Amino acid sequence: MQCLRAPLSDLSVLERQRTRAEWQQQGQEQSDYHPYDADYCMQSLLPVEASFRALHSCSGGGANENHGNVHGSNDCFSNAWPDIVSSMHCPVVGAAASVEETSVNASSSSSSRKRKSENTRRSKENSGGSDGKDDSNCKRIKEETGGGGGAPPEAKRPNKRKEESADASKENDKAPKSDYIHVRARRGQATDSHSLAERVRRERISQRMKYLQDLVPGCSKITGKAGMLDEIINYVQSLQRQVEFLSMKLAAVNPMMDINIDSFFGGREINPTCKSGSIPMIGMSSELLDQSSYLQFGSLQHDMFMDSSDLLLRPNVNPPAAVSDTSLGSCLNVNGSSVWNTNLQNVYGVEFQLGRGTALPFQSLQGNLLPNNLKMEM
Amino acid sequence: MHAIKLSADVAMAVARGNRRWTHGLIADLSKKEDNKSFLKCILGKQYERLNMPCYSSWKIQRCKTILRRSFRERFGKHKPARACSLARSMVKKRAQVLKRLVPGGEAMDGYSLLDETMDYVVCLHAQVDLMRQLLRAFEASKLRSVRHPIIPFFVLLLHMF
């Protein structure tokens, strides 16, 4: 028997559990989850296009709601991510508030707690035993701005089938508002702390595998981790090979001149804050400039580019946004930089400008265009 | 000539921001001497920060005694290969391969490896698309008359909008 070492949940969690119990008694399909957390952890799981669209459409609704009324956003969330919706047990209220306030907030990984409901309805704090394991399971709170840092936040908990009522929460008066993953033992399964941790870990991994399945083409039929990993490996290898092949082709298309990098960058002061500042120094060769009078086009875009050069500094909030916008920006960059480089005789990677595209002038367009861009690009 | 590939990789890594694989990629790229100056120029202040040993190849520290014990167990008792252990070893092998593929993957555990793989796949995909479009644009501009090289870019832009 394991004793209660410390009080676990706070009142809000208590309420949430109660409401959850009520809903489930009423036959509600979705369990309780916090819309803020849902919204915000949606942002971290971006690669899936459909869900991304849903995120955009639902983020407005989700952001406006508070604790109680989650029905509105339930539907749209459930459309896109039924898994997450059904498993949304975001326990942290304070974390959500902090997410709201600060944009980049990489919280230190705290130990996750497990709470199990037993017959006696005692809960158990499990910080000690599962600390080592739970570094990967920890829910980390942060909003992904340009990819915050560390692992993406894991705000979802695996869905536990409710066996006991929410009375188990009565014992827990207060818990510090931190990121804990609350897990409830399933009926008929071991309530050992280790096995719970294992189960949480396994379910998170299987979640990830599902997303990867959507990402990698032709994986819908494959079940099992080994086969999936095989496909993933093949896909990554093929993508890498394609990148190499395309870079060679690009090199063939553009006559590249040998440059001595040191002399090239020698006396220049590169403004570290403005990443794009280095772009002007890297430009098209004069040859190319002659061939294709980019200047014309470039001057058109130049103003736009300059105006938005301050935007280039901002970290990317949405990875897919950044990623898809590179396509948009690449053309502009190709031309915009040429304006500055009329005198430069050296060429460096045309490809280099690809990357600049992320911090794009077109961040304003991201919201609406992103799905379209994604669709087009991918 | 690997200049294009190098710049593409750097661009992708810088564009994506702060992820483990981006740090790993930059660290891998900066191992070569020729690339160091280039990277320094691009990254500026960040270069020093990113080149710290924690970002370069860092393998998960595993306790030696635990390793020794598990090793002994595996080869001490010759159990018949059960399905579960077989499956586990298969998965383990593939995870090893994946760790080598994804930059900076050695230092990741299973879960974050999958996460970083997802991210990496998305970025790679975008990179490939971009390069294809660039290639197309360049070839188109070469084919057409020199007077109007901007047309493909306009077309692309309009298409994007």
Side-chain angles (χ1 to χ4, degrees):
Chain A
M1 287 296 223
Q2 288 158 335
C3 326
L4 180 68
R5 274 192 239 152
L8 283 184
S9 59
D10 59 1
L11 285 168
S12 55
V13 175
L14 207 89
E15 283 173 358
R16 238 186 284 116
Q17 285 174 339
R18 289 222 180 91
T19 55
R20 191 195 311 147
E22 287 164 10
W23 287 0
Q24 281 167 340
Q25 284 165 11
Q26 293 165 18
Q28 295 283 338
E29 183 188 320
Q30 281 114 5
S31 41
D32 176 55
Y33 73 99
H34 198 277
Y36 290 108
D37 290 323
D39 185 37
Y40 135 75
C41 59
M42 294 283 187
Q43 286 179 354
S44 65
L45 297 166
L46 291 168
V48 184
E49 181 192 339
S51 50
F52 193 76
R53 283 209 205 102
L55 167 67
H56 271 285
S57 59
C58 295
S59 59
N64 297 333
E65 288 173 354
N66 226 318
H67 268 292
N69 179 21
V70 296
H71 284 284
S73 35
N74 273 357
D75 300 330
C76 63
F77 280 138
S78 61
N79 289 340
W81 283 350
D83 301 336
I84 291 194
V85 167
S86 59
S87 65
M88 271 311 195
H89 288 268
C90 304
V92 185
V93 181
S98 65
V99 163
E100 289 277 289
E101 292 160 18
T102 63
S103 47
V104 183
N105 212 349
S107 78
S108 57
S109 67
S110 52
S111 60
S112 63
R113 280 173 169 179
K114 312 287 192 283
R115 194 160 32 84
K116 304 170 293 193
S117 60
E118 303 170 356
N119 291 335
T120 58
R121 306 217 173 124
R122 270 199 245 149
S123 320
K124 165 191 169 293
E125 180 190 355
N126 198 12
S127 51
S130 48
D131 248 336
K133 258 178 257 182
D134 292 343
D135 281 340
S136 59
N137 291 344
C138 280
K139 170 182 175 184
R140 297 193 190 106
I141 312 290
K142 76 180 174 174
E143 189 166 340
E144 198 131 333
T145 58
E154 269 300 293
K156 43 190 204 304
R157 267 187 298 158
N159 185 26
K160 305 299 170 199
R161 233 173 294 126
K162 207 183 98 41
E163 39 176 338
E164 320 282 1
S165 67
D167 298 340
S169 55
K170 277 183 193 160
E171 315 162 358
N172 313 312
D173 300 324
K174 277 195 179 178
K177 289 180 184 174
S178 49
D179 24 86
Y180 294 112
I181 300 178
H182 293 275
V183 172
R184 190 167 286 185
R186 279 199 202 144
R187 191 190 169 88
Q189 294 206 352
T191 53
D192 189 25
S193 68
H194 292 285
S195 52
L196 265 186
E198 262 300 308
R199 189 144 50 89
V200 169
R201 181 180 153 272
R202 250 182 288 139
E203 298 203 9
R204 281 158 63 112
I205 287 188
S206 61
Q207 272 275 347
R208 283 281 176 269
M209 295 291 288
K210 270 187 228 157
Y211 292 141
L212 275 167
Q213 215 172 21
D214 293 331
L215 204 58
V216 177
C219 269
S220 43
K221 296 180 187 160
I222 300 184
T223 51
K225 270 198 237 174
M228 270 299 305
L229 281 175
D230 251 346
E231 288 301 317
I232 292 169
I233 287 172
N234 287 336
Y235 191 58
V236 168
Q237 274 174 341
S238 79
L239 281 177
Q240 282 176 343
R241 258 180 271 137
Q242 275 181 26
V243 167
E244 279 193 45
F245 175 66
L246 283 170
S247 69
M248 287 205 311
K249 265 187 127 182
L250 272 171
V253 163
N254 308 322
M256 300 257 296
M257 303 203 280
D258 257 325
I259 59 167
N260 187 358
I261 301 182
D262 290 330
S263 64
F264 188 68
F265 285 108
R268 297 185 194 275
E269 261 211 34
I270 302 196
N271 182 8
T273 58
C274 181
K275 286 183 199 165
S276 69
S278 50
I279 298 179
M281 311 180 188
I282 301 168
M284 318 279 278
S285 67
S286 53
E287 255 180 70
L288 281 176
L289 284 175
D290 293 338
Q291 278 180 10
S292 47
S293 42
Y294 288 140
L295 279 172
Q296 245 179 346
F297 187 71
S299 59
L300 287 175
Q301 302 303 318
H302 182 64
D303 295 333
M304 249 174 113
F305 202 84
M306 287 302 278
D307 290 341
S308 47
S309 57
D310 54 315
L311 287 178
L312 297 171
L313 303 180
R314 288 190 209 145
N316 298 308
V317 179
N318 292 325
V323 149
S324 63
D325 279 342
T326 47
S327 56
L328 211 148
S330 64
C331 332
L332 287 192
N333 284 338
V334 161
N335 293 301
S337 56
S338 64
V339 176
W340 294 307
N341 297 314
T342 48
N343 297 327
L344 279 179
Q345 301 295 317
N346 287 325
V347 152
Y348 205 93
V350 170
E351 275 306 315
F352 177 68
Q353 295 155 1
L354 284 177
R356 297 306 117 193
T358 34
L360 270 197
F362 299 95
Q363 280 179 355
S364 54
L365 305 168
Q366 275 175 13
N368 299 330
L369 292 184
L370 191 63
N372 304 330
N373 277 346
L374 270 177
K375 207 176 186 175
M376 185 186 67
E377 299 305 330
M378 309 208 180
Chain B
M1 196 66 148
H2 301 288
I4 288 192
K5 174 138 200 311
L6 168 68
S7 49
D9 287 339
V10 172
M12 183 170 72
V14 175
R16 182 53 188 90
N18 275 334
R19 299 286 294 202
R20 279 196 233 182
W21 68 266
T22 57
H23 296 317
L25 184 58
I26 294 177
D28 286 340
L29 288 175
S30 58
K31 274 181 197 162
K32 282 193 173 178
E33 281 305 317
D34 343 341
N35 305 339
K36 271 192 182 174
S37 47
F38 174 59
L39 279 169
K40 239 182 245 184
C41 294
I42 309 262
L43 298 172
K45 282 186 203 161
Q46 293 185 21
Y47 180 71
E48 308 303 330
R49 191 161 47 92
L50 288 176
N51 228 19
M52 286 189 345
C54 65
Y55 283 118
S56 30
S57 64
W58 170 73
K59 309 210 169 161
I60 295 182
Q61 308 284 342
R62 300 191 202 268
C63 176
K64 278 191 189 163
T65 45
I66 296 179
L67 280 176
R68 222 178 296 140
R69 264 188 232 145
S70 68
F71 211 73
R72 219 177 296 147
E73 254 191 44
R74 203 188 304 172
F75 292 104
K77 327 174 182 176
H78 292 277
K79 283 189 201 161
R82 293 198 193 138
C84 50
S85 56
L86 190 66
R88 222 175 297 149
S89 66
M90 279 172 66
V91 171
K92 193 77 182 171
K93 273 190 203 157
R94 283 157 176 84
Q96 288 285 330
V97 177
L98 194 59
K99 280 184 183 176
R100 258 177 263 136
L101 278 183
V102 175
E106 308 279 343
M108 297 184 213
D109 61 324
Y111 176 76
S112 40
L113 180 67
L114 286 178
D115 222 26
E116 300 292 317
T117 306
M118 229 179 2
D119 213 59
Y120 186 55
V121 161
V122 171
C123 287
L124 271 183
H125 202 136
Q127 197 181 35
V128 164
D129 274 334
L130 265 165
M131 290 171 85
R132 279 210 192 108
Q133 290 221 347
L134 255 185
L135 201 59
R136 227 186 305 155
F138 273 122
E139 283 176 349
S141 73
K142 270 197 169 177
L143 283 176
R144 293 173 206 237
S145 67
V146 192
R147 289 268 163 199
H148 306 283
I150 57 180
I151 288 178
F153 290 92
F154 271 131
V155 169
L156 275 168
L157 273 177
L158 286 172
H159 191 34
M160 305 229 188
F161 280 94

